[in-house]
Amino acid sequence: MKTLITSICVAAFAIALAPAAEAAELWRASGFEQPESALFDAANHRIIVSNIVGNPGEADGNGYLSVLSLDGKVVSRHWTAGMDAPKGSAISGGKLYVADITKVRIVDLASGKLISTIDVPGAVFLNDVTSDSSGKVYVTDMLADAIYRIDGDRPELFVKDAKLAAPNGIFADGGRLIVASWGKGIKPDFSTAAPGGLLSVDLATKAVTPLPGAQNFADLDGVVAIGDSIYATAFMTGTLYRYKVGEAPEAVEQFKPGSADIGTDGTRIFVPLMNEGEIAVLSLD
């Protein structure tokens, strides 16, 4: 894990891309410290940004959350402290749930105060978080091929399956979870023996199913669904992909390596650029 940041900064793969003029960058905000996620907080009209600040797998107490306005102004640089390496987050029941290595932090949305910590037994490297329509929270464990579910403050193993292939991004979409897989055979520089793709996990049956035409095409990180499109980032190349059922994934924007856990308000995508310390905001046509 100690080589993750430096390795990813220099990693690049020759991937065949089919650029499409589907996204236009509106603005960027800078000054963050390894921003890993950018979550849209609809009730409070803001973006919540997680800052890792160091080794993504080290419990060093350096991590924190920031608040960004929807027009790119930093509202609070250090909104929530007391974390190690915060990554993905989700809102449920008026609380913010944040993945933090082997724990899930719960933050009061009104004050930004860290109010509790949930230890997740067996967790290795918790990464992204989402919540379903009933308020249950789901957290990926990238290095354990697992997804945990949290109901209130009770964590449980929801599904563990090799087909998840290092699940990173996760997004609740009706009766399923959309999962962005990093890939199989992760190497010390976080490249893979086989790239990841997009998956669906049925909430009722827990069945893991690859999305047609979106298998083994990139080492994926963040994922969101907007209408009939799924957008996902490939961290190692910085590519933002769009996928529609029946079509091959296509590149809609190219950043430097380090595009991580994206968020959306339904018309825009918020892209954390981890290696540049920036948040980029894109408008979708």
Side-chain angles (χ1 to χ4, degrees):
M1 298 305 300
K2 292 183 179 179
T3 62
L4 174 58
I5 298 302
T6 55
S7 298
I8 289 176
C9 288
V10 299
F13 298 127
I15 295 180
L17 304 179
E22 292 287 341
E25 186 169 324
L26 298 175
W27 51 260
R28 287 194 188 194
S30 60
F32 300 100
E33 298 180 271
Q34 292 167 250
E36 203 279 340
S37 70
L39 176 72
F40 175 57
D41 177 3
N44 296 291
H45 308 288
R46 61 189 178 182
I47 304 164
I48 299 173
V49 179
S50 64
N51 297 264
I52 290 177
V53 200
N55 188 323
E58 185 174 336
D60 54 17
N62 292 336
Y64 62 92
L65 305 180
S66 302
V67 174
L68 185 63
S69 71
L70 296 180
D71 59 358
K73 297 180 177 62
V74 177
V75 177
S76 176
R77 180 72 63 187
H78 292 84
W79 184 57
T80 305
M83 298 185 180
D84 295 313
K87 300 177 184 69
S89 61
I91 295 169
S92 177
K95 298 175 183 178
L96 181 70
Y97 291 73
V98 185
D100 194 0
I101 310 178
T102 60
K103 307 175 187 297
V104 174
R105 310 289 189 176
I106 301 181
V107 176
D108 178 70
L109 275 176
S111 66
K113 291 183 179 179
L114 178 60
I115 55 177
S116 62
T117 295
I118 299 173
D119 290 307
V120 181
V124 179
F125 192 75
L126 300 178
N127 205 302
D128 197 13
V129 190
T130 192
S131 60
D132 66 17
S133 59
S134 69
K136 294 182 178 63
V137 173
Y138 299 83
V139 189
T140 58
D141 191 335
M142 179 179 171
L143 299 184
D145 290 341
I147 297 172
Y148 290 88
R149 180 169 62 190
I150 298 172
D151 189 357
D153 60 356
R154 293 177 286 106
E156 63 176 353
L157 181 64
F158 179 67
V159 60
K160 183 177 177 64
D161 194 320
K163 288 186 290 187
L164 290 171
N168 195 312
I170 189 170
F171 189 87
D173 181 47
R176 66 175 180 172
L177 301 172
I178 300 171
V179 177
S181 161
W182 192 279
K184 295 182 179 180
I186 297 178
K187 302 174 184 178
D189 66 352
F190 267 66
S191 63
T192 56
L198 294 171
L199 309 165
S200 174
V201 180
D202 188 280
L203 287 176
T205 67
K206 304 182 183 181
V208 180
T209 307
L211 295 184
Q215 304 170 44
N216 308 120
F217 71 95
D219 300 317
L220 298 179
D221 196 304
V223 65
V224 297
I226 304 173
D228 63 351
S229 296
I230 295 173
Y231 292 85
T233 49
F235 191 106
M236 302 291 278
T237 62
T239 310
L240 174 67
Y241 287 96
R242 185 189 70 173
Y243 166 77
K244 290 186 176 184
V245 175
E247 301 178 5
E250 60 179 350
V252 295
E253 190 60 72
Q254 184 66 53
F255 300 101
K256 294 179 181 178
S259 56
D261 181 22
I262 50 180
T264 185
D265 63 359
T267 60
R268 296 177 294 177
I269 292 181
F270 312 113
V271 185
L273 304 175
M274 187 169 160
N275 294 331
E276 298 173 75
E278 297 179 333
I279 302 295
V281 176
L282 306 177
S283 174
L284 302 175
D285 295 333

